[in-house]
Amino acid sequence: DERFGVRFPDMSAVYSPRLRGLADEAATAMGLDLQHGTYVAVLGPSYETPAEIRAFRALGCTVIAVEPQPAVASTLRTVVGRDSGVVLVSAAVSHAVGRARFAVSERTPTVSTLADDWREARQQEPGFAGVEWNKTLDVETTTLDALIAAHGLPAFVKLDIEGGEAAALAGLSQPVRTVSFEFLPQALD
C-alpha cells in the first residue's frame, strides 16, 4: 500500500554519517540518551542466525550470539567467526547460570529446547509429526543479566528459544529497550 511509503527503500547507505548526525540531534532535542556502539543479542537454536548476524552487522551493531548446540555454534564460527563485531557464547539462556538438559532434534535442530513442557506439547501437534527429539546434551546455561554484565546493555534482544522465553526473562532484572520473541501461535498459553 503506497500510503505507507516505499515498499523496498534503497538500503545501500543505511548507515550514513549525515543521517546518524540527524538522529543524534533529534535524540538530544527529545531528551533521549542515544547510544552508539550498541549491540544486539540473538539468542537461540537457529540456522537463520548467520543471515541475521550479517544483517545486524550491516546496521553497525555488535552482536552477541548465544547458541547451545555445538554443531550450530560451529556453523556460526565458520560463517561469522572472523568478524570482531560478533561474540559467540556457547550456552543456553535460562533463569540461572549453571547447567541444564537440552533436548535436541538432530533432523530439525531449530526446534531443540530446554523447555520439556513446550517439547511435550509440540509432540501432540500435527505440524510437529516428523519431529523427534532424539538426543540430549548437558549444556551450560547463562542469564540475560550475566550477558549484560559481560557485554553491556543491548538495544535489542531477540529470543528464539523454543518455549524457554519465560525462563530467559526470569534471568533478567533490568529493563532492556526492545525484546523480540519468535513464537508459535498454537503455543500461546
Side-chain angles (χ1 to χ4, degrees):
D1 187 333
E2 292 302 317
R3 293 176 297 155
F4 298 111
V6 178
R7 184 168 181 191
F8 298 106
D10 177 9
M11 300 300 281
S12 61
V14 69
Y15 199 66
S16 108
R18 185 182 72 75
L19 292 177
R20 184 175 175 172
L22 291 172
D24 286 339
E25 290 173 20
T28 300
M30 293 170 39
L32 299 175
D33 180 22
L34 185 63
Q35 300 291 314
H36 293 269
T38 56
Y39 75 85
V40 173
V42 179
L43 315 173
S46 158
Y47 277 124
E48 70 270 15
T49 299
E52 288 175 335
I53 289 171
R54 285 191 298 269
F56 290 134
R57 290 295 293 139
L59 293 171
C61 299
T62 299
V63 177
I64 311 302
V66 181
E67 177 53 61
Q69 297 181 78
V72 178
S74 177
T75 299
L76 288 174
R77 268 189 215 90
T78 299
V79 174
V80 296
R82 294 184 181 158
D83 186 333
S84 63
V86 177
V87 176
L88 180 58
V89 177
S90 294
V93 177
S94 192
H95 68 285
V97 173
R99 299 199 71 76
R101 194 179 119 248
F102 190 75
V104 176
S105 171
E106 291 179 301
R107 188 171 129 193
T108 318
T110 58
V111 297
S112 298
T113 183
L114 287 176
D116 290 337
D117 56 340
W118 182 89
R119 179 180 48 81
E120 290 165 6
R122 301 297 73 77
Q123 287 175 319
Q124 308 307 312
E125 295 173 3
F128 280 76
V131 177
E132 178 185 357
W133 287 269
N134 59 323
K135 181 177 173 182
T136 59
L137 298 174
D138 179 53
V139 299
E140 185 175 331
T141 60
T142 190
T143 65
L144 290 169
D145 279 342
L147 291 166
I148 290 168
H151 305 286
L153 189 66
F156 177 84
V157 174
K158 178 194 175 220
L159 296 172
D160 179 3
I161 52 178
E162 313 313 317
E165 296 80 7
L169 291 175
L172 177 66
S173 64
Q174 56 196 297
V176 293
R177 189 177 303 163
T178 305
V179 177
S180 170
F181 298 93
E182 182 176 292
F183 68 94
L184 298 170
Q186 69 270 26
L188 296 175
D189 41 24

